[in-house]
Amino acid sequence: MSEPPSELFRSWLHSYEEDHEDVRVYRPDDHPFPPARGRRGMEFAPDGTFVDHPLGRGDAPGAVPGRWRLVPDRRIALTFGGARPDRELEILRCDEDVLHVRRLTG
């Protein structure tokens, strides 16, 4: 993968009900999710910016800015400038409906 799929560039929410083995499943933020106390999420932009949305107080999503860059073997490195540990994701599937990733580090 020399370029990330164009479908990656959007806001994704964790569809933890669909996780399997070590694969995390994300859906677009307008997906009709079942009720949940809160959902983690992430946003990728074509300019290399990234926003992690961890769960914060009262299960409300937070926002931690970072950067992404493509590394070999369908992997994306995420860096946060010390605001949180860096991590690496392997993209297993990405289309307009779903994003499957494997978290490799962090």
Side-chain angles (χ1 to χ4, degrees):
M1 177 170 69
S2 60
E3 294 291 324
S6 61
E7 295 87 359
L8 181 67
F9 304 124
R10 63 172 34 170
S11 180
W12 297 94
L13 294 178
H14 189 191
S15 185
Y16 56 83
E17 303 91 345
E18 298 181 82
D19 287 355
H20 51 279
E21 298 157 4
D22 62 345
V23 176
R24 293 185 184 184
V25 179
Y26 290 83
R27 296 282 183 176
D29 61 2
D30 60 355
H31 180 77
F33 291 100
R37 288 193 57 185
R39 292 192 184 270
R40 292 174 169 81
M42 55 187 174
E43 296 175 54
F44 292 88
D47 67 358
T49 57
F50 174 82
V51 180
D52 191 28
H53 293 287
L55 289 180
R57 292 180 152 241
D59 296 328
V64 181
R67 300 214 37 94
W68 68 267
R69 67 181 170 80
L70 202 57
V71 294
D73 299 325
R74 300 184 55 87
R75 296 177 183 198
I76 290 189
L78 305 174
T79 56
F80 299 96
R84 68 176 332 145
D86 296 344
R87 64 183 188 246
E88 195 170 288
L89 304 175
E90 179 183 10
I91 297 176
L92 303 172
R93 177 180 173 191
C94 183
D95 60 40
E96 64 275 356
D97 296 320
V98 69
L99 171 64
H100 289 195
V101 299
R102 181 177 292 124
R103 191 169 174 171
L104 302 172
T105 61

